[in-house]
Amino acid sequence: MRIHRLSTQLANQIAAGEVVERPASVVKELLENSLDAGADEVAIDIEQGGLRLIRVTDNGGGIHRDDLQLALSRHATSKLSELDGLSRIATLGFRGEALPSIVSVARLGLASREAGAASAWRVDNDSQGNLSDPIPAAHPPGTTIEVRDLFFNVPARRKFLRSERTEFGHIEEVFRRVAMSRFDVAFRLNHNKRTVYTLRPDAGGAARVAELCGREFIEHSLAIAGEAGGLRLRGWIGLPTHSRGQSDLQYFYVNGRVIRDRLVSHAVRQAYRDVLYQGRHPTFVLYLDMPPEEVDVNVHPTKHEVRFRESRLIYDFLFHTLHRALAQDRPGARGEEAVPAAAVTAAPSRLAPAAAYESVPRDRQPSFPFRAAEPAPPHLYAALDAAVAEAVPVVPATAPAAPSPAGFLGRPLAQIHGVYILAENTEGLVLVDMHAAHERIVYERMKATHHQGGVRTQPLLVPLTINLATREAALVEDHQPLFAELGLEVQRIAPEAVAVRAIPSLLREADVEGLVRDVVADIHVHGDSARVREHLDEMFATMACHGAVRANRRLTLPEMDALLRDMERTERSGQCNHGRPTWIQLDMKELDRLFMRGR
């Protein structure tokens, strides 16, 4: 079969398959062009879920009359002129493929007027993709692009589109992502001549995030601000007790570009690892600013994925910043690194961080199940009593009768059915799950005690030989300091084999071969491993659950007071080791409402 050159129209339609997946793809490309043009006002009009009409109007810099046709041809752009610029891209678009791809699968009209120009000019394309000559048009400074009858000439693509409601839902999601990337720009979205969103510029961003992600998110989140080594992270992370069943409220931006990245997702998951309930997903809206030359955005046609030059540095920065912020989640904490985001909203919530039953009625259970902690394996009980005694001072029954000055959680009043502590603070009423709270206190102290002394190792009587791939054995050889830090003594003894000679003493009953293989896999993917730390923390969590005060144990008022004060000092004490809330706040307004006072 002879080789022939594709027609321009067919080549453009094939290229459109990479850029224009559905109407939402068109909206994304046009919005990014408007922002790159310097617009601070953008209006989007949609009809029939984008199939009939997509119109984007902005007040940006506009396009010169002589460049209108060029703007609709392939590989034509004002954002990149030489190879060196590819390594420090600061614009959202740069390939010059979006508009010609759209032209090849839709009817498009482009009207634009430069600032200071006497008039606007317009070009259109016909059903064959041919462009008209520029003609005068009535238009204010800026640009309007109308896309009609998407995929009218590619019926195979059109039949794969979903219902009008579904397609507009995708457009809404794109709108949210773009609108949260630029708080200084006003946006308006209309669908079938009905206004869906009108967003004014918002200096702090909290009001816009609340409108687009829900006030529930912004009122139950921590504001993040961290900076190190040319990297800056800001935004909001949801409190662990306000997680979701799906990963549908997770937005991450790099230099203003929303991305999806496995390294970022893994760093966030690890930061939440021992504070999130099993199977739940954290919520976040985060912005990472970094030098453009340190990130490659030219690795995916839709630019949703990026490649970091120093991926390990990025991972460590994200993990440690978020991990420190989550550590501040304790009653009354007002750390500099993590301030409750509700403090910057117009109507801050008075709900405690643990008001995380997701606003379910009080006579119903939370929408996600809680399970009791599993009992500790038998081999742990021998060291359990000594470990708990070392980590957690016991409040004697003969403690002084006078409690310490009340802190944020207030003054203890009574114990309810041997399970809950009832306290009074300046806001109103506080309820504390004493077992869950003490479990977190024990857990954090055991971790701190262990980490201060390092990972204690235990030699194996007979070294364990593990066969690995050559590249995996090389990873073991190249990362000896990391294995030593984790309490693992692993040596390469052959091109495809390693020998394990020592392991962490607390993991002597673990599956050593599986553990080592998992660590090697983590190092291969992420350059690090949290497997051993996870196993150790799981052991500590089990031991802490066993050592915490049990239900139905009667506490004296001084013991209750000591527990409340410990909660105020302990990191992550807003939830137990399993992600359950440890306390809730009912303020006076809520109490008055329960008893219909003031009506």
Side-chain angles (χ1 to χ4, degrees):
M1 183 177 293
R2 300 294 301 275
I3 297 174
H4 63 278
R5 187 181 299 275
L6 295 176
S7 67
T8 301
Q9 175 73 358
L10 181 56
N12 285 342
Q13 288 179 336
I14 293 173
E18 296 181 345
V19 179
V20 185
E21 178 185 1
R22 59 189 344 137
S25 308
V26 175
V27 173
K28 171 187 177 294
E29 298 292 344
L30 299 186
L31 285 178
E32 290 181 348
N33 280 345
S34 294
L35 296 181
D36 284 341
D40 58 17
E41 293 183 7
V42 183
I44 306 101
D45 295 287
I46 306 296
E47 292 183 13
Q48 294 182 6
L51 286 176
R52 181 178 179 184
L53 171 69
I54 298 172
R55 181 192 297 119
V56 176
T57 302
D58 66 57
N59 66 345
I63 303 174
H64 191 277
R65 173 192 182 278
D66 296 338
D67 292 341
L68 288 175
Q69 290 182 324
L70 186 61
L72 301 179
S73 60
R74 293 195 69 186
H75 308 308
T77 179
S78 62
K79 305 165 189 177
L80 188 66
S81 58
E82 54 187 18
L83 181 61
D84 289 346
L86 198 59
S87 63
R88 52 179 184 273
I89 293 172
T91 55
L92 297 173
F94 53 87
R95 294 170 181 259
E97 293 182 358
L99 290 180
S101 295
I102 296 170
V103 166
S104 69
V105 293
R107 296 184 172 93
L108 184 143
L110 168 60
S112 188
R113 177 181 175 183
E114 288 187 300
S119 66
W121 296 85
R122 178 184 179 95
V123 295
D124 295 272
N125 75 313
D126 58 23
S127 60
Q128 301 301 316
N130 300 314
L131 299 176
S132 66
D133 292 329
I135 59 174
H139 195 283
T143 302
T144 293
I145 297 183
E146 293 182 349
V147 178
R148 296 182 179 274
D149 303 328
L150 185 63
F151 298 135
F152 77 96
N153 56 353
V154 193
R157 298 286 303 280
R158 193 179 182 95
K159 72 179 182 180
F160 280 99
L161 297 179
R162 304 302 180 186
S163 67
E164 176 180 325
R165 175 179 295 183
T166 299
E167 293 301 335
F168 183 70
H170 288 289
I171 290 174
E172 275 192 288
E173 179 60 21
V174 166
F175 177 84
R176 278 191 288 270
R177 292 176 181 175
V178 174
M180 285 193 293
S181 73
R182 292 287 300 273
F183 297 134
D184 59 325
V185 177
F187 291 92
R188 187 179 74 248
L189 176 62
N190 300 327
H191 186 217
N192 293 336
K193 305 187 186 309
R194 180 179 64 87
T195 300
V196 181
Y197 287 105
T198 300
L199 304 177
R200 299 179 178 85
D202 177 24
R208 178 170 293 185
V209 172
E211 185 167 357
L212 295 173
C213 297
R215 185 161 292 279
E216 281 282 306
F217 166 71
I218 208 70
E219 289 178 349
H220 296 86
S221 63
L222 300 173
I224 298 297
E227 190 168 357
L231 304 175
R232 181 187 177 210
L233 184 68
R234 54 194 169 88
W236 298 265
I237 58 173
L239 291 166
T241 45
H242 201 70
S243 58
R244 295 170 75 92
Q246 303 292 332
S247 57
D248 57 345
L249 208 169
Q250 298 182 347
Y251 298 93
F252 192 87
Y253 296 82
V254 175
N255 294 342
R257 183 192 307 277
V258 65
I259 68 162
R260 296 188 298 264
D261 186 86
R262 287 186 300 173
L263 179 141
V264 169
S265 299
H266 190 267
V268 174
R269 282 199 309 271
Q270 287 301 307
Y272 275 89
R273 178 171 50 81
D274 65 351
V275 295
L276 205 61
Y277 187 73
Q278 183 179 5
R280 304 292 290 178
H281 298 270
T283 57
F284 56 85
V285 178
L286 292 171
Y287 303 85
L288 176 64
D289 298 318
M290 60 186 299
E293 60 270 17
E294 295 297 321
V295 57
D296 184 5
V297 300
N298 189 30
V299 297
H300 193 275
T302 62
K303 300 179 286 293
H304 282 151
E305 299 176 7
V306 298
R307 182 182 294 114
F308 298 106
R309 177 174 294 180
E310 298 288 345
S311 58
R312 175 66 184 271
L313 176 66
I314 300 298
Y315 181 94
D316 288 345
F317 173 68
L318 293 177
F319 170 77
H320 289 296
T321 302
L322 300 183
H323 193 258
R324 286 197 305 268
L326 289 168
Q328 302 301 316
D329 179 25
R330 60 183 187 271
R334 294 294 184 268
E336 294 180 359
E337 294 183 63
V339 179
V344 298
T345 62
S349 168
R350 289 297 186 181
L351 286 177
Y357 292 110
E358 300 188 343
S359 301
V360 297
R362 288 184 176 86
D363 60 346
R364 292 179 54 193
Q365 293 296 318
S367 58
F368 53 93
F370 290 144
R371 61 176 176 82
E374 298 176 357
H379 72 275
L380 287 177
Y381 285 108
L384 179 59
D385 294 336
V388 173
E390 178 185 2
V392 187
V394 178
V395 179
T398 57
S404 60
F408 180 84
L409 290 177
R411 179 171 56 92
L413 302 176
Q415 192 177 15
I416 304 174
H417 290 290
V419 177
Y420 301 104
I421 294 174
L422 179 67
E424 175 190 32
N425 67 358
T426 56
E427 301 294 329
L429 181 70
V430 173
L431 280 173
V432 175
D433 182 332
M434 67 179 197
H435 173 75
H438 195 226
E439 185 179 6
R440 170 59 70 175
I441 294 169
V442 174
Y443 177 50
E444 291 297 329
R445 290 183 179 174
M446 292 183 73
K447 285 198 301 181
T449 300
H450 176 75
H451 293 160
Q452 288 170 3
V455 180
R456 297 179 182 177
T457 62
Q458 174 177 312
L460 298 180
L461 293 177
V462 179
L464 174 65
T465 300
I466 303 176
N467 294 320
L468 299 173
T470 302
R471 61 178 178 81
E472 293 176 327
L475 285 175
V476 172
E477 189 173 29
D478 295 339
H479 290 81
Q480 284 295 299
L482 176 58
F483 280 93
E485 177 191 344
L486 298 176
L488 287 167
E489 184 182 339
V490 188
Q491 297 177 345
R492 189 178 189 180
I493 58 175
E496 297 182 348
V498 298
V500 184
R501 303 184 185 280
I503 61 173
S505 57
L506 282 175
L507 301 183
R508 56 183 176 271
E509 300 295 329
D511 176 8
V512 176
E513 180 173 346
L515 177 62
V516 171
R517 290 186 183 277
D518 286 345
V519 170
V520 172
D522 285 345
I523 293 173
H524 175 67
V525 176
H526 305 292
D528 193 1
S529 178
R531 297 286 180 168
V532 175
R533 300 184 188 96
E534 289 176 6
H535 280 281
L536 289 172
D537 287 348
E538 287 172 5
M539 294 293 183
F540 291 140
T542 301
M543 295 166 71
C545 184
H546 180 76
V549 292
R550 313 304 298 179
N552 300 318
R553 173 183 166 183
R554 291 293 173 180
L555 301 180
T556 65
L557 284 177
E559 287 177 323
M560 287 186 256
D561 184 76
L563 181 59
L564 298 183
R565 304 293 78 82
D566 274 348
M567 288 178 65
E568 293 164 350
R569 292 189 293 265
T570 301
E571 295 181 345
R572 306 174 186 87
S573 61
Q575 61 284 316
C576 75
N577 313 340
H578 313 292
R580 297 182 297 173
T582 59
W583 67 289
I584 61 170
Q585 171 87 63
L586 293 175
D587 62 24
M588 292 304 297
K589 289 183 179 179
E590 290 176 286
L591 293 173
D592 289 343
R593 188 164 53 250
L594 288 174
F595 291 95
M596 300 183 182
R597 291 179 60 87
R599 293 191 181 183

